[in-house]
């Protein structure tokens, strides 16, 4: 058995999958899913991927070392469905993984994706986003990873000249799986938006971001996110640019 994982792997997903899914998964579950997705051979997809336990720990971090029972339970929890899309006519759910095997006498883990989710992970074209799998290790919260994917997806898809992207409050709550949480906007901002911003800006990924609340009258209706290219690995603040000549380049 050979591993399908490589540090140079890309996490490949449809923009629809990133932007419309109701991400109710917890942090470890979400990271595991993305690592498994990176192991898919997009040219010859079988839906089954292999990875070693050591490689999983490399991406997730040393905090998970020797916590195999916990990891097994987290992978088991991916045998579920997520809401991919909802409108006035229909709700669409897709299953994540069908089966997995944790080998006791070897280093391998085998995961089998459901057939219905594969089209969202392998059809490479302009509607798909790719990023380095090792970026996952830099995130300390699910909200940072979710918003990172969402904003990078819109940036690569829309190429707004000002790198500014609006999302309604309802859509942001749906995206982050918090529809039934944080009714007060100040709590939502503190627990979700600010946490995600700090996570992204400290993760050493392609861009830095800041945001502002958008109002209609006295009501906050959404968030406008502003992105810029990261010009140095030591940057953690949007407005503190180390190499200004690079800041206007494509993200």
């Amino acid at each position: 058995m050979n591993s399908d994982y490589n540090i140079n792997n890309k996490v490949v997903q449809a923009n629809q999958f990133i932007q419309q899914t109701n991400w109710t998964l917890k942090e470890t579950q979400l990271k595991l899913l993305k690592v498994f997705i990176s192991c898919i051979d997009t040219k010859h997809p079988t839906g089954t991927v292999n990875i070693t336990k050591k490689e999983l720990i490399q991406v997730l971090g040393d905090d998970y070392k020797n916590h195999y029972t916990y990891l097994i339970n987290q992978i088991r929890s991916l045998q579920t469905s997520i809401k991919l899309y909802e409108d006035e006519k229909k709700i669409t759910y897709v299953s994540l993984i069908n089966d997995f095997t944790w080998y006791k006498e070897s280093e391998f883990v085998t995961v089998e994706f459901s057939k219905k989710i594969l089209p969202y992970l392998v059809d490479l074209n302009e509607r798909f986003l790719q990023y380095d799998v090792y970026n996952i290790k830099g995130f300390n919260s699910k909200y940072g990873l979710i918003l990172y994917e969402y904003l990078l997806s819109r940036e690569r898809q829309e190429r707004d000249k000002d790198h500014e992207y609006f999302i309604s409050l309802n859509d942001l709550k749906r995206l982050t799986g918090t529809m039934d949480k944080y009714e007060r906007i100040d709590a939502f901002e503190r627990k979700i938006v600010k946490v995600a911003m700090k996570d992204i800006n400290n993760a050493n990924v392609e861009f830095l971001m800041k945001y502002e609340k958008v109002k209609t009258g006295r009501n906050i209706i959404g968030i406008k996110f502003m992105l810029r290219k990261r010009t140095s690995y030591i940057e953690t603040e949007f407005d503190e640019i180390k190499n200004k000549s690079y800041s206007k380049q494509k993200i």
Side-chain angles (χ1 to χ4, degrees):
M1 185 183 299
N2 296 315
S3 174
D4 297 305
Y5 177 79
N6 186 291
I7 194 172
N8 296 316
N9 281 0
K10 303 288 185 181
V11 182
V12 180
Q13 301 158 99
N15 288 319
Q16 179 188 0
F17 185 65
I18 293 169
Q19 296 177 15
Q20 296 186 6
T21 299
N22 178 221
W23 289 111
T24 56
L25 299 179
K26 296 180 180 178
E27 177 191 341
T28 303
Q29 298 166 340
L30 191 63
K31 285 185 173 182
L32 284 167
L33 175 65
K34 305 302 181 178
V35 174
F36 295 146
I37 288 173
S38 79
C39 294
I40 297 174
D41 183 346
T42 56
K43 294 181 179 179
H44 305 97
T46 63
T48 300
V49 299
N50 300 308
I51 187 171
T52 68
K53 299 162 192 174
K54 181 178 179 180
E55 289 165 338
L56 272 181
I57 301 302
Q58 285 178 350
V59 182
L60 295 177
D62 287 339
D63 289 345
Y64 297 90
K65 194 173 183 179
N66 300 322
H67 291 275
Y68 284 172
T69 300
Y70 175 75
L71 284 177
I72 290 171
N73 289 333
Q74 294 301 296
I75 300 172
R76 283 185 61 195
S77 68
L78 293 178
Q79 294 176 299
T80 186
S81 62
I82 56 173
K83 186 194 294 185
L84 179 64
Y85 180 77
E86 179 177 4
D87 61 17
E88 63 278 0
K89 294 183 179 180
K90 66 180 181 179
I91 304 175
T92 301
Y93 288 85
V94 291
S95 297
L96 295 176
I97 66 171
N98 284 335
D99 304 297
F100 87 95
T101 303
W102 182 282
Y103 293 94
K104 292 183 177 180
E105 296 183 358
S106 81
E107 274 294 300
F108 281 93
V109 180
T110 298
V111 171
E112 181 183 332
F113 284 92
S114 69
K115 291 182 179 179
K116 288 192 174 181
I117 203 175
L118 276 181
Y120 298 99
L121 308 176
V122 300
D123 292 336
L124 295 180
N125 53 44
E126 69 277 3
R127 299 190 302 270
F128 276 66
L129 172 71
Q130 301 182 56
Y131 67 86
D132 295 334
V133 64
Y134 215 65
N135 286 3
I136 293 170
K137 190 173 183 178
F139 290 95
N140 295 313
S141 77
K142 62 173 279 186
Y143 304 117
L145 180 54
I146 289 169
L147 203 54
Y148 162 71
E149 286 192 344
Y150 173 81
L151 292 172
L152 187 61
S153 171
R154 290 195 60 184
E155 170 70 19
R156 297 272 173 84
Q157 186 178 26
E158 300 173 31
R159 295 294 186 188
D160 181 85
K161 65 181 180 63
D162 295 317
H163 311 289
E164 295 181 354
Y165 302 97
F166 171 82
I167 181 171
S168 71
L169 200 56
N170 283 339
D171 281 346
L172 186 54
K173 285 191 168 186
R174 184 262 310 156
L175 184 73
T176 54
T178 54
M179 290 295 293
D180 300 322
K181 298 180 180 179
Y182 310 118
E183 292 185 7
R184 291 177 57 89
I185 183 61
D186 57 341
F188 180 76
E189 181 182 10
R190 184 176 69 256
K191 297 284 189 178
I192 307 300
V193 185
K194 287 187 176 180
V195 167
M197 181 178 68
K198 181 178 180 180
D199 212 14
I200 289 172
N201 290 348
N202 282 279
N204 197 26
V205 291
E206 296 91 334
F207 63 86
L208 290 99
M209 73 90 154
K210 65 179 181 179
Y211 70 92
E212 62 183 35
K213 291 170 282 190
V214 179
K215 294 182 178 181
T216 295
R218 299 179 63 182
N219 296 322
I220 296 171
I221 61 169
I223 303 288
K224 180 171 72 173
F225 292 99
M226 291 148 279
L227 315 183
R228 75 160 174 85
K229 184 177 179 63
R230 182 185 297 275
T231 71
S232 168
Y233 72 92
I234 63 173
E235 287 180 329
T236 58
E237 298 291 337
F238 184 94
D239 294 317
E240 296 179 5
I241 305 173
K242 301 299 180 183
N243 299 290
K244 291 186 178 181
S245 60
Y246 299 147
S247 64
K248 297 299 183 181
Q249 293 182 359
K250 290 182 178 179
I251 294 172

